[in-house]
Amino acid sequence: QFSATGVQTCFHGRHIQPQIYAGLDGTNWRLKDYEARGGYQALRRILGKDGGDGLTPDQVIAEVKASALRGRGGAGFPTGLKWSFMPRQFPGQKYLVCNSDEGEPGTCKDRDILMHNPHIVIEGMAIAAYAMGISVGYNYIHGEIFQVYERFEAALEEARAAGYLGHNILGSGFSFQLHAHHGFGAYICGEETALLESLEGKKGQPRFKPPFPASFGLYGKPTTINNTETFAAVPWIIRNGGQAYLEVGKPNNGGTKIFSVSGDVERPGNYEIPLGTPFAKLLELAGGVRAGRQLKAVIPGGSSAPVLPASIMMDCTMDYDSIAKAGSMLGSGAVIVMDDTRCMVKSLQRLSYFYMHESCGQCTPCREGTGWLWRVVDRIENGQGRPSDLDLLDNVAENIMGRTICALGDAAAMPVRGMIKHFRHEFVHHVEHKTCMVPAYV
Ligand code: SF4
């Protein structure tokens, strides 16, 4: 099925132990549907509205810490630990921000959550705001998916009308105002400090860190930023307990994760599975490699993650630690599958163009280096490569990494190094024979 966002969604059982996708059918996004699935029970529980005493903010953070929930936006930072950085006694305004500026090539999960289960994000944010003593929040939604923004606005209206947002929520004394904001499609605004700049109405360019957002965030105030999927995981954790969430996944990798599987598979789409599930199982859920062809390589975590050859990938489990051990990153969970008809030089040419195009231009190594990377890969692809070009690519990549304000520079350099490390022979063939060694798809 394709949703209104153009994302291929998977509502019919092609998930394993789903938490965010549980009970979804593509139409039941409204408040009454969410409540029928147990929605807002977690918020009611912490506020003492289910007959119990409620949970203190410290108890909520302790549950999230126990769950081993790691940030689903890409970095995989422990969520409970991030929440504990918020200075709760800070006397002025503090902010909570949801990063829904999903723009990583291959990633299409956050828009799917917001479209089909928006209240789970609202509830997760309200719980987070309670835990950190925050009264105002924003959800920054990617600019090219305006219908998702409209859906989230509609859900916000329902939540406000039902008393789950606003002043004195459910008569508890806790207040939380949540607003939606849409960007204008710049990839760099997914970087948290660029997002804050954009939210403030400025040009979306990353800030130098430190200071980190926990002390100097939106409008210079303490701010906690989490990804859409991270907030969506929170209600299940509070309803079922942090330990239960941890046990769904594996140590240090609690819970389920939504993987956006694209490329050369029979059924591309979003799949929610426990962290630690073998990659082979995920590939099976996605229908296997298209037309029975051979798996060649996989980019396991969005375009910034180094590519892994099939021989390594088939031994991996889908969790942060296994993929890192294999030499790549789980990132945002965008799994790009490539079969034996894919040319790695051509693939890298496209990736390099993307990063050159999306560089904000603030730092010289990124602004100039991403252009260098693209131009060199482009001439190799077009049969004009030189024998020294592979060393040149490595040198440029090395001189970008670790020398820029934000991670986009590294994100541009890492795929180059990964491709050349595992598929050097293809680049050498292009240089020596001025043509591609990979047979075209028939
Ligand atoms: Fe901008 Fe690139 Fe520097 Fe990031 S690394 S601040 S995108 S120029």
Side-chain angles (χ1 to χ4, degrees):
Q1 292 185 31
F2 282 87
S3 73
T5 58
V7 176
Q8 188 168 7
T9 49
C10 302
F11 294 117
H12 301 299
R14 292 204 290 271
H15 308 283
I16 304 172
Q17 295 176 260
Q19 296 166 353
I20 297 171
Y21 269 97
L24 300 187
D25 65 9
T27 63
N28 54 356
W29 62 273
R30 290 202 169 274
L31 176 62
K32 63 177 174 34
D33 305 312
Y34 183 60
E35 288 177 322
R37 296 194 294 274
Y40 288 108
Q41 282 179 9
L43 182 62
R44 299 182 75 89
R45 179 179 173 222
I46 64 169
L47 297 178
K49 298 296 169 185
D50 63 354
D53 293 335
L55 296 184
T56 64
D58 282 334
Q59 286 173 319
V60 173
I61 292 177
E63 285 296 339
V64 176
K65 279 185 175 171
S67 74
L69 171 65
R70 294 171 65 168
R72 303 301 196 227
F77 193 81
T79 303
L81 188 59
K82 184 184 260 191
W83 289 11
S84 68
F85 292 157
M86 173 57 82
R88 264 189 286 150
Q89 304 313 320
F90 182 79
Q93 183 67 58
K94 295 172 285 183
Y95 294 103
L96 185 67
V97 175
C98 178
N99 186 345
S100 297
D101 191 39
E102 180 177 55
E104 182 83 357
T107 313
C108 52
K109 63 184 179 62
D110 295 337
R111 66 199 68 186
D112 213 24
I113 297 171
L114 293 172
M115 199 69 189
H116 301 296
N117 207 0
H119 283 284
I120 202 169
V121 179
I122 295 172
E123 186 181 11
M125 289 190 74
I127 293 167
Y130 172 80
M132 290 178 274
I134 298 172
S135 60
V136 177
Y138 295 92
N139 186 8
Y140 188 103
I141 298 171
H142 195 67
E144 289 155 331
I145 46 174
F146 200 75
Q147 63 273 56
V148 174
Y149 168 79
E150 289 177 330
R151 172 65 54 88
F152 192 73
E153 279 281 21
L156 282 178
E157 284 302 318
E158 289 187 318
R160 288 179 191 127
Y164 293 125
L165 288 176
H167 181 67
N168 192 20
I169 293 172
L170 303 174
S172 65
F174 163 60
S175 299
F176 179 54
Q177 311 288 344
L178 179 56
H179 311 280
H181 179 96
H182 75 85
F184 284 91
Y187 171 71
I188 195 58
C189 288
E191 197 279 340
E192 61 180 9
T193 58
L195 185 154
L196 295 177
E197 289 284 299
S198 173
L199 198 49
E200 290 179 7
K202 302 176 193 156
K203 197 170 173 180
Q205 290 189 320
R207 299 174 183 168
F208 195 82
K209 290 188 282 193
F212 293 95
S215 57
F216 188 91
L218 187 62
Y219 304 115
K221 303 296 184 189
T223 301
T224 296
I225 308 170
N226 282 125
N227 168 255
T228 318
E229 187 185 355
T230 310
F231 284 122
V234 170
W236 195 99
I237 291 169
I238 299 301
R239 276 209 309 274
N240 300 279
Q243 186 60 31
Y245 188 81
L246 175 60
E247 287 167 6
V248 170
K250 63 185 265 193
N252 202 33
N253 292 266
T256 62
K257 166 98 190 75
I258 299 175
F259 291 96
S260 304
V261 184
S262 66
D264 300 326
V265 291
E266 289 288 342
R267 288 195 299 262
N270 287 323
Y271 296 88
E272 185 179 3
I273 57 175
L275 285 170
T277 302
F279 167 71
K281 183 67 188 172
L282 179 61
L283 187 59
E284 182 190 322
L285 289 176
V289 181
R290 65 174 177 159
R293 298 199 71 99
Q294 290 291 312
L295 180 67
K296 178 175 182 175
V298 178
I299 297 176
S303 61
S304 311
V307 68
L308 293 175
S311 56
I312 295 178
M313 200 63 211
M314 290 304 282
D315 288 336
C316 287
T317 55
M318 297 306 293
D319 58 80
Y320 297 94
D321 298 335
S322 174
I323 299 293
K325 200 170 157 201
S328 189
M329 304 185 304
L330 196 72
S332 55
V335 179
I336 302 171
V337 176
M338 292 186 269
D339 71 15
D340 54 356
T341 65
R342 294 295 166 194
C343 168
M344 291 298 148
V345 181
K346 181 82 181 166
S347 303
L348 186 58
Q349 180 200 31
R350 290 188 180 181
L351 286 178
S352 298
Y353 182 82
F354 173 80
Y355 287 107
M356 177 183 69
H357 185 265
E358 297 296 337
S359 168
C360 84
Q362 277 193 107
C363 357
T364 305
C366 174
R367 183 186 63 244
E368 302 301 325
T370 52
W372 272 84
L373 291 176
W374 177 73
R375 284 192 296 277
V376 174
V377 177
D378 184 64
R379 74 177 177 225
I380 296 174
E381 166 63 15
N382 287 308
Q384 294 163 347
R386 303 164 193 165
S388 58
D389 275 350
L390 296 194
D391 288 341
L392 180 59
L393 282 175
D394 195 57
N395 184 269
V396 174
E398 189 184 341
N399 279 296
I400 295 174
M401 291 185 72
R403 293 176 167 87
T404 55
I405 292 174
C406 85
L408 188 142
D410 285 13
M414 285 190 293
V416 173
R417 296 191 124 181
M419 286 282 191
I420 294 177
K421 177 181 174 190
H422 294 295
F423 298 96
R424 189 178 185 91
H425 58 289
E426 288 194 25
F427 288 81
V428 170
H429 186 97
H430 265 262
V431 171
E432 290 180 349
H433 300 280
K434 316 292 183 201
T435 186
C436 184
M437 66 185 289
V438 179
Y441 179 70
V442 284

